[in-house]
């Protein structure tokens, strides 16, 4: 096994009196698709928001390639090679595709000390990325507000690719997509891993997860209750882990 | 395919809204010319343009604020405070160059105060600036001691009432300000960040945009533009009265909304603001000339704001749309 890209140690997150996450340990490896599963409110989104620098953890630490890191903003996480595609996508509908792909880290040239956008370079780069993704979007100038759900997902993935991310996190990327678009996003997920990226994927669709994931981690009520290699488990076991019917989960929840 | 393009990208990009405003301006001019023999004179045209200078400068700043999802209802009194500072400098030694620097400087300073309250203090912009409006009103009263600041020397006027290569200095200043704001908005990362914040502050934050910094800077820019407006105000009138700027914020917000900038943020038109200011000033001037008392001017502005926002709500099908979605 390769050295993990990211090690998560004993992470906890509290919102006031509510404990959204407790004692989460996890290793995320390059070239691997890791699926996070769990019921609504299990803490999946909260967990990846911590990885993405959008929430500071209440406890615990993140270690990237042996170095502890502390993110105070999504920009910090991005600088460490973590790109996140949030459930709510975080795209600006009023801006163009190209502007969205580069938002927050635009290409610029300095004229008299003022940073001006390199609009042509950004457009060309996004054009290339969209072709590479086979996204069927011909105009990087179109506002994101005019795109379909799948097209928006492609724009968000472009954003991650453009960052040269080492870890791409996707929160329910296929939830709002039609079948054909879902196929495309899943294929893309595998392609990211083949490029040597670490991929963390949140999904509610278990067959989808078995199609793309190398490893499966199950969250329940803010805890990580199970971790399995996809090849060594099956649909049925995963369902029982999510619902808490599995003996392992029962034993765990009794001790706490 | 994909004929959809982002609107208003060019320096003077005109869309349906802007063309309608232009037509409305021309229509108003024709109607007033017929209605009043005093209207269609070169002197009156100069008066309308002259009366638009401060509002154009302040309107550019207000466009940025509204596009960002912000607002500043104290901006007129900010101009008043800057004008008092300029008046004091002029009254003391009459140095016009010093006076030119003081306006934008005081404007920037007050912009920092507003930003401190609204951005750092996280008070909603409408509430925070309303509070500042109250404070500043009293400040103007105290500073002026219940009297007009009048009889200021003409040194500043002599400097700013001139022309450079046949172009009046105020027109030049507005052109430079317009171009600078346009460049910032459409050609720099700052402009993208501002529009992203106006669309959704949370999404902007998740995209790695320095939201606090961008919002802070925008209030300062608006302050600087307001300070420049104050300089032209003092140069023109050579006095500062107690009620200075009391309708400016209302006028600026009306003109900007009229111009097609969204009150909800995320979308704006600079050329729309310019045309909105001109239409507003044309209407105010024309109504005065056909005998409507100036008392009615804020009514015109108010009706315009309500009319435009009401019209947009109907066009976007908002009330009906919400209702249908709620039932679905
Ligand atoms: N910003 C927040 N403030 C307060 N509570 C939150 C916040 N975000 C999430 N939570 C709570 O934390 C728990 C986990 O939520 P979430 O991570 O969104 O779950 P999942 O993505 O697995 O459905 C839920 O009880 C949710 O209500
Ligand atoms: Mg979620």
């Amino acid at each position: 096994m390769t050295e993990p890209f990211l090690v998560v140690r004993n992470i906890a997150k509290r919102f006031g009196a509510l404990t959204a996450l407790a004692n989460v340990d996890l290793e995320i490896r390059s070239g691997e698709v890791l699926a996070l599963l769990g019921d609504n409110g299990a803490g999946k989104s909260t967990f990846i928001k911590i990885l993405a620098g959008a929430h500071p953890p209440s406890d615990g630490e993140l270690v990237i390639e042996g170095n502890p890191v502390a993110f105070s903003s999504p920009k910090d996480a991005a600088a460490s090679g973590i790109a996140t595609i949030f459930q709510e996508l975080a795209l600006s509908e009023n801006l163009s595709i190209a502007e969205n792909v580069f938002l927050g880290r635009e290409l610029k040239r300095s004229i008299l000390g003022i940073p001006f956008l390199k609009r042509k370079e950004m457009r060309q780069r996004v054009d290339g990325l969209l072709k590479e993704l086979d996204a069927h979007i011909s105009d990087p100038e179109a506002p994101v507000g005019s795109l379909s759900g799948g097209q928006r997902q492609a724009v968000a993935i472009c954003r991650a690719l453009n960052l040269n991310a080492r870890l791409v996190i996707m929160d329910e990327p296929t939830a709002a997509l039609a079948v054909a678009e879902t196929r495309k996003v899943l294929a893309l997920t595998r392609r990211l891993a083949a490029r040597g990226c670490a991929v963390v994927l949140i999904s509610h669709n278990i067959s989808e997860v078995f199609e793309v994931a190398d490893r499966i981690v199950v969250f329940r009520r803010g805890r990580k209750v199970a971790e399995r290699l996809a090849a060594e488990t099956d649909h049925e076991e995963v369902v029982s882990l999510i619902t808490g019917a599995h003996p392992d989960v029962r034993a765990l929840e009794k001790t706490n | 395919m994909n004929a959809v393009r982002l609107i208003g990208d060019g320096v003077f990009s005109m869309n349906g809204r802007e063309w309608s405003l232009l037509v409305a301006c021309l229509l108003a001019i024709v109607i007033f010319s017929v209605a009043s023999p005093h209207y269609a004179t070169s002197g009156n045209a100069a008066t309308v343009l002259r009366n638009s200078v401060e509002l154009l400068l302040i309107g550019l700043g207000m466009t940025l604020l509204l596009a960002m999802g912000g607002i500043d209802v104290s901006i007129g009194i900010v101009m008043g405070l800057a004008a008092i500072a300029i008046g004091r400098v002029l009254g003391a030694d009459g140095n016009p160059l010093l006076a030119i620097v003081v306006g934008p400087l005081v404007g920037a300073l007050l912009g920092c105060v507003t930003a401190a309250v609204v951005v750092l203090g996280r008070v909603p912009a409408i509430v925070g600036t309303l509070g500042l409006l109250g404070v500043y009103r009293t400040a103007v009263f105290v500073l002026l001691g219940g009297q007009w600041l009048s009889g200021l020397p003409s040194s500043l006027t002599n400097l700013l009432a001139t022309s450079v290569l046949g172009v009046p200095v105020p027109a030049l200043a507005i052109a430079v300000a317009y171009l600078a704001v346009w460049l910032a908005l459409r050609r720099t990362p700052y402009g993208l960040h501002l529009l992203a914040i106006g669309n959704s502050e949370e999404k902007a934050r998740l995209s790695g945009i320095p939201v606090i910094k961008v919002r802070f800077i925008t209030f300062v820019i608006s302050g600087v533009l307001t300070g420049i407006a104050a300089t032209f105000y003092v140069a023109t009138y050579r006095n500062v009265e107690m009620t200075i700027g009391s309708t400016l914020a209302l006028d600026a917000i009306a003109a900007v909304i009229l111009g097609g900038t969204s009150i909800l943020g995320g979308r704006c038109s600079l050329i729309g603001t310019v045309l909105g200011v001109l239409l507003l000033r044309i209407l105010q001037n024309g109504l005065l000339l056909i005998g409507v008392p100036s008392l009615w001017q804020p009514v015109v502005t108010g009706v315009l704001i309500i009319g435009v926002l009401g019209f947009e709500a109907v066009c976007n099908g908002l009330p009906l749309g919400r209702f249908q979605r709620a039932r679905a």
Side-chain angles (χ1 to χ4, degrees):
Chain A
M1 270 277 147
T2 52
E3 195 209 352
F5 170 69
L6 173 66
V7 178
V8 176
R9 279 200 199 120
N10 202 26
I11 285 282
K13 179 69 188 175
R14 288 176 286 274
F15 296 107
L18 181 118
T19 301
L21 279 180
N23 301 326
V24 177
D25 289 295
L26 197 60
E27 292 187 349
I28 298 170
R29 297 196 177 81
S30 301
E32 192 180 69
V33 177
L34 173 73
L36 286 188
L37 287 167
D39 213 345
N40 273 332
K44 307 181 297 289
S45 293
T46 304
F47 178 67
I48 63 154
K49 279 188 173 159
I50 290 172
L51 301 189
H55 285 325
S58 309
D59 234 324
E61 70 171 347
L62 303 177
V63 180
I64 292 185
E65 296 181 319
N67 307 309
V69 290
F71 302 143
S72 60
S73 74
K75 212 176 175 117
D76 290 351
S80 296
I82 300 179
T84 308
I85 301 170
F86 293 102
Q87 197 164 5
E88 52 273 23
L89 277 184
L91 297 175
S92 298
E93 293 86 353
N94 59 336
L95 300 182
S96 75
I97 295 168
E99 288 167 340
N100 265 285
V101 169
F102 279 94
L103 194 61
R105 42 171 196 279
E106 299 80 6
L107 302 180
K108 54 212 165 190
R109 68 170 70 84
S110 180
I111 302 174
L112 302 172
I114 301 163
F116 283 99
L117 295 167
K118 287 181 163 177
R119 301 185 342 132
K120 201 164 146 218
E121 282 86 337
M122 296 198 294
R123 214 156 37 219
Q124 284 167 349
R125 168 100 211 203
V126 171
D127 228 358
L129 285 171
L130 289 171
K131 290 226 172 67
E132 190 183 326
L133 293 184
D134 191 20
H136 292 289
I137 302 172
S138 58
D139 185 4
E141 292 279 274
V144 162
S146 70
L147 302 181
S148 74
Q151 289 175 319
R152 288 180 200 207
Q153 204 71 49
V155 174
I157 291 170
C158 265
R159 233 182 108 79
L161 283 178
N162 186 47
L163 181 71
N164 285 324
R166 313 274 313 278
L167 166 61
V168 176
I169 302 170
M170 298 194 255
D171 195 352
E172 307 211 24
T174 60
L177 300 192
V179 177
E181 289 190 313
T182 300
R183 293 274 124 244
K184 233 177 229 162
V185 170
L186 291 180
L188 217 56
T189 312
R190 281 301 342 166
R191 218 177 304 157
L192 283 173
R195 280 174 146 219
C197 255
V199 180
V200 171
L201 173 79
I202 295 182
S203 175
H204 271 127
N205 186 326
I206 297 171
S207 18
E208 197 176 289
V209 163
F210 273 101
E211 225 173 292
V212 293
D214 299 300
R215 228 150 29 102
I216 294 173
V217 163
V218 179
F219 276 44
R220 199 173 140 74
R221 296 180 181 153
R223 287 164 182 281
K224 180 180 127 183
V225 293
E227 178 168 348
R228 301 275 189 278
L229 285 174
E232 294 172 2
T233 181
D234 57 31
H235 196 288
E236 210 174 323
E237 186 187 23
V238 168
V239 171
S240 69
L241 287 167
I242 293 172
T243 58
H246 196 284
D248 287 6
V249 180
R250 283 201 187 158
L252 194 73
E253 291 186 343
K254 210 161 273 171
T255 58
N256 293 308
Chain B
M1 55 156 281
N2 269 320
V4 199
R5 288 272 171 153
L6 288 176
I7 55 157
D9 193 55
V11 188
F12 299 117
S13 299
M14 304 266 289
N15 287 287
R17 178 62 153 265
E18 288 85 351
W19 286 113
S20 318
L21 277 172
L22 190 60
V23 169
C25 286
L26 298 176
L27 213 64
I29 290 172
V30 170
I31 291 172
F32 288 130
S33 304
V34 173
S36 163
H38 312 294
Y39 188 80
T41 63
S42 62
N44 190 47
T47 302
V48 171
L49 290 175
R50 171 48 236 134
N51 286 343
S52 306
V53 171
E54 292 88 27
L55 194 55
L56 281 169
L57 290 165
I58 290 173
L60 290 175
M62 190 64 80
T63 308
L64 293 180
L65 286 176
L66 288 189
M68 190 178 68
I71 197 166
D72 189 345
V73 299
S74 72
I75 205 72
I77 317 292
V78 167
M79 191 191 86
L81 287 171
I84 292 172
I86 296 164
R88 292 267 191 266
V89 167
L90 275 183
D93 64 358
N95 183 346
L97 290 177
L98 196 59
I100 284 179
V101 182
V102 160
L105 213 67
V106 172
L109 214 72
L110 293 173
C112 287
V113 172
T114 312
V117 171
V118 170
V119 181
L120 304 183
R122 293 175 195 279
V123 180
I126 180 95
V127 180
T129 58
L130 203 56
L132 288 172
L133 173 68
V135 175
Y136 291 163
R137 268 238 169 92
T138 306
V140 167
F141 190 85
V142 170
L143 285 170
L144 290 180
Q147 287 182 318
W148 285 30
L149 200 62
S150 55
L152 295 172
S154 58
S155 48
L156 187 62
T157 314
N158 295 340
L159 202 66
L160 295 184
T162 51
S163 294
V164 176
L165 302 173
V167 185
V169 171
L172 214 59
I174 288 164
V176 169
Y178 182 93
L179 216 64
V181 170
W182 178 82
L183 278 174
L185 190 62
R186 304 291 182 195
R187 291 294 180 268
T188 71
Y190 161 80
L192 283 187
H193 296 174
L194 178 142
L195 290 170
I197 292 170
N199 180 65
S200 158
E201 208 176 311
E202 175 65 6
K203 287 181 179 181
R205 192 180 76 86
L206 289 175
S207 302
I209 288 171
V211 172
I212 306 252
K213 188 170 133 194
V214 171
R215 293 188 65 213
F216 201 104
I217 288 172
T218 307
F219 278 99
V220 176
I221 291 175
S222 170
V224 169
L225 287 165
T226 306
I228 297 172
T231 315
F232 284 107
Y233 180 95
V234 176
T236 308
Y237 300 108
R238 283 171 55 194
N239 62 46
V240 181
E241 53 193 272
M242 294 291 301
T243 55
I244 182 169
S246 50
T247 58
L248 258 180
L250 181 67
D251 284 352
I253 293 164
V256 171
I257 291 173
L258 211 55
T261 294
S262 167
I263 188 90
L264 301 173
R267 181 168 53 82
C268 68
S269 164
L270 290 174
I271 193 71
T273 293
V274 171
L275 291 167
V277 167
L278 291 178
L279 179 60
L280 196 65
R281 287 302 191 231
I282 287 171
L283 288 177
Q284 290 170 342
N285 164 272
L287 290 172
L288 205 64
L289 284 189
I290 62 170
V292 179
S294 63
L295 180 69
W296 286 86
Q297 285 193 353
V299 177
V300 175
T301 320
V303 167
L304 275 177
I305 291 186
I306 296 167
V308 169
L309 290 182
F311 181 74
E312 281 183 354
V314 170
C315 282
N316 297 338
L318 270 183
L320 191 63
R322 285 241 170 92
F323 181 62
Q324 284 172 337
R325 232 170 292 142
R327 280 164 53 114

